Amino acid sequence: MHLPLYLAMTTRPSASLPLIPASSLVCSPLSSMKQEVISPGDGKNFPKTGDKLTMHYHGTLASNGQKFDASRDRGRPFQFTIGVGQVIRGWDEGVMQMSLGEKAMLRITSDYGYGARGAGGVIPPNANLNFEVELLAIN
C-alpha cells in the first residue's frame, strides 16, 4: 500500500525543530490493533518474546461495552508467555509495546481477536474487542 505524503514547510523553519527528510518517513497500513496508554509504565522494561507476564485485564465487546471477562473478578492476575501464540494476536502485538507498570486500552478487531469462531459462547463471531490491560510483572 502506498500512501501519498504531503509535507508543508515554512520559509524560515524553527531552529529548535529538526528537519526530517521525507525519505526517512515510514507509512504503514492501518493496524488491526490500536493501543491507547491510560497510565505510563517505567519506559525501560518491555516484554520480549518468550517472557512470562503477569497482567490484570478487563475485556468488553466493542459493539456494546458488555464485559465478557476480567481477571480481577477471579481475584488473581493472568499469567502467560508472550509472543508464542498463547493469547490472541492483538495481545501478542499490543502487550509487547507496553512497559512495566503501564496500563493501556487495546482496541482489537476480530481478525486479531477470535475471528469468525468467537469464543466460549460470550464472544460472538467477528466481534471487535476492547481490553483494559495492566502489565504487573515481567518474569
Side-chain angles (χ1 to χ4, degrees):
M1 180 176 179
H2 188 274
L3 301 174
L5 182 64
Y6 299 97
L7 298 176
M9 297 190 61
T10 63
T11 55
R12 300 179 72 184
S14 169
S16 64
L17 298 175
L19 292 177
I20 301 171
S23 61
S24 69
L25 298 175
V26 177
C27 294
S28 61
L30 295 175
S31 174
S32 292
M33 186 283 307
K34 290 183 173 59
Q35 179 201 41
E36 301 166 9
V37 175
I38 296 170
S39 60
D42 68 3
K44 297 176 184 175
N45 297 294
F46 294 86
K48 298 178 294 303
T49 297
D51 284 343
K52 186 173 183 180
L53 305 183
T54 303
M55 302 190 67
H56 269 307
Y57 69 91
H58 180 101
T60 60
L61 300 176
S63 62
N64 61 12
Q66 180 181 353
K67 177 176 73 172
F68 56 82
D69 195 13
S71 60
R72 291 185 196 276
D73 290 352
R74 287 188 300 284
R76 60 178 158 60
F78 176 59
Q79 292 189 325
F80 68 100
T81 303
I82 191 78
V84 296
Q86 284 187 357
V87 292
I88 58 175
R89 183 175 176 184
W91 269 53
D92 265 343
E93 292 189 14
V95 172
M96 290 280 252
Q97 299 173 29
M98 297 175 66
S99 65
L100 184 62
E102 183 173 322
K103 185 183 274 191
M105 177 66 73
L106 301 179
R107 299 189 187 280
I108 300 171
T109 57
S110 66
D111 58 320
Y112 274 45
Y114 294 97
R117 72 182 186 277
V122 294
I123 299 174
N126 303 311
N128 295 337
L129 308 172
N130 294 329
F131 286 94
E132 183 177 295
V133 294
E134 182 177 7
L135 181 54
L136 302 173
I138 301 172
N139 308 307

